[in-house]
Amino acid sequence: MSLVTLSGAVARMGGRPVLDGVGLRLEAGELVALCGPNGAGKTSALRAALGLLRLDQGMARLGGEDLARLDSRARAERAAYLPQERRIAWNLPVIEAAALGAPFLTGAAALDAARAALEEVGAAHLAERGVADLSGGERARVLLARALASPAPALLADEPAAGLDPDARLLVMDRLRARADAGRGVLVSLHDLGLAGRYAERVVIMAGGRVLADGPPMQALGPEILARAFGLAAVWVEGPDGPLLSTRRA
């Protein structure tokens, strides 16, 4: 049973199609990278998979159940979400903000999960600070901890590495990879094709609201597909830790 499924998903915004027959699935124990140029439909696909974007056609399922039949608590129990937006509306203490990632746990259990997640992302020392007083990079770590605090079997993350320093990008991906290795399913949208090739079992390439490719990194990030989606010339080269993707403008 797939943790997340989109079948024939069609959605429009302002009369313009943002998803055009998208099929997507996420299984337990895998990290799937969702890649594509700006406006490809990556964020729309993630939001549709969580019921945050209404489908005009098709179906979305979480844990094998139709999203339309699940209330907000049931959805939160099945999937955690790390949105692209890093703004937090209230100046909560960091520990409380991180605990919001597990809204269906009891107070003490949620705080314990938040502390463990903050420790995991190197932000335990920020626990009593207000989130409004943090730098952008610190806030990104807190929001990652909020998502990691959830015990939900699926974790969906929208551009979690965008705008971060190189070491922070690797930290984010290492933590998401660890969740997949522990048996959860992770679906993450990425602009960095190198990170996608390094961390994902499968890469899904989108363009124009459609899926162009879905397969292992060396297949989905092949020269023909990247030329079509991004206008890039690409080649896989052997690096010290395995194959690496090298790209340049075509």
Side-chain angles (χ1 to χ4, degrees):
M1 177 184 67
S2 297
L3 299 178
V4 174
T5 307
L6 285 177
S7 302
V10 175
R12 298 177 180 84
M13 296 180 65
R16 181 179 65 89
V18 292
L19 297 177
D20 188 5
V22 169
L24 190 63
R25 62 180 173 81
L26 175 67
E27 308 292 341
E30 68 175 359
L31 189 154
V32 177
L34 187 58
C35 302
N38 290 330
K42 302 184 298 297
T43 295
S44 295
L46 291 176
R47 287 174 57 80
L50 293 163
L52 302 175
L53 175 66
R54 185 181 66 85
L55 293 180
D56 296 300
Q57 297 177 39
M59 181 175 289
R61 294 180 180 273
L62 280 180
E65 295 192 52
D66 187 343
L67 268 176
R69 300 178 182 175
L70 301 176
D71 60 21
S72 57
R73 177 187 175 92
R75 295 180 189 190
E77 290 173 343
R78 287 164 173 77
Y81 181 43
L82 177 58
Q84 191 173 147
E85 174 60 60
R86 292 176 182 163
R87 183 168 58 90
I88 300 177
W90 300 283
N91 190 24
L92 297 172
V94 162
I95 185 66
E96 293 183 19
L100 292 175
F104 51 88
L105 295 180
T106 63
L111 289 174
D112 287 344
R115 289 190 186 94
L118 288 170
E119 182 71 35
E120 194 175 351
V121 301
H125 63 290
L126 303 174
E128 304 307 320
R129 299 238 335 245
V131 291
D133 302 323
L134 304 179
S135 69
E138 290 171 334
R139 193 176 302 116
R141 288 181 185 240
V142 171
L143 290 174
L144 174 62
R146 185 176 70 179
L148 296 179
S150 170
L155 196 165
L156 281 64
D158 192 1
E159 291 293 347
L164 299 180
D165 292 335
D167 63 329
R169 290 201 297 270
L170 294 178
L171 171 71
V172 168
M173 295 306 299
D174 284 344
R175 296 302 177 262
L176 295 179
R177 180 67 257 173
R179 285 301 187 276
D181 290 342
R184 295 173 68 183
V186 178
L187 177 61
V188 54
S189 69
L190 291 170
H191 275 298
D192 190 324
L193 301 179
L195 289 179
R198 175 174 177 176
Y199 284 94
E201 278 92 8
R202 284 194 294 119
V203 176
V204 177
I205 302 292
M206 292 187 67
R210 298 182 177 183
V211 172
L212 298 186
D214 181 348
M218 292 187 72
Q219 173 185 319
L221 296 172
E224 292 184 6
I225 295 168
L226 293 189
R228 182 179 172 190
F230 296 95
L232 293 175
V235 62
W236 285 88
V237 298
E238 191 63 33
D241 298 317
L244 297 173
L245 181 68
S246 176
T247 60
R248 61 176 176 80
R249 295 182 64 187

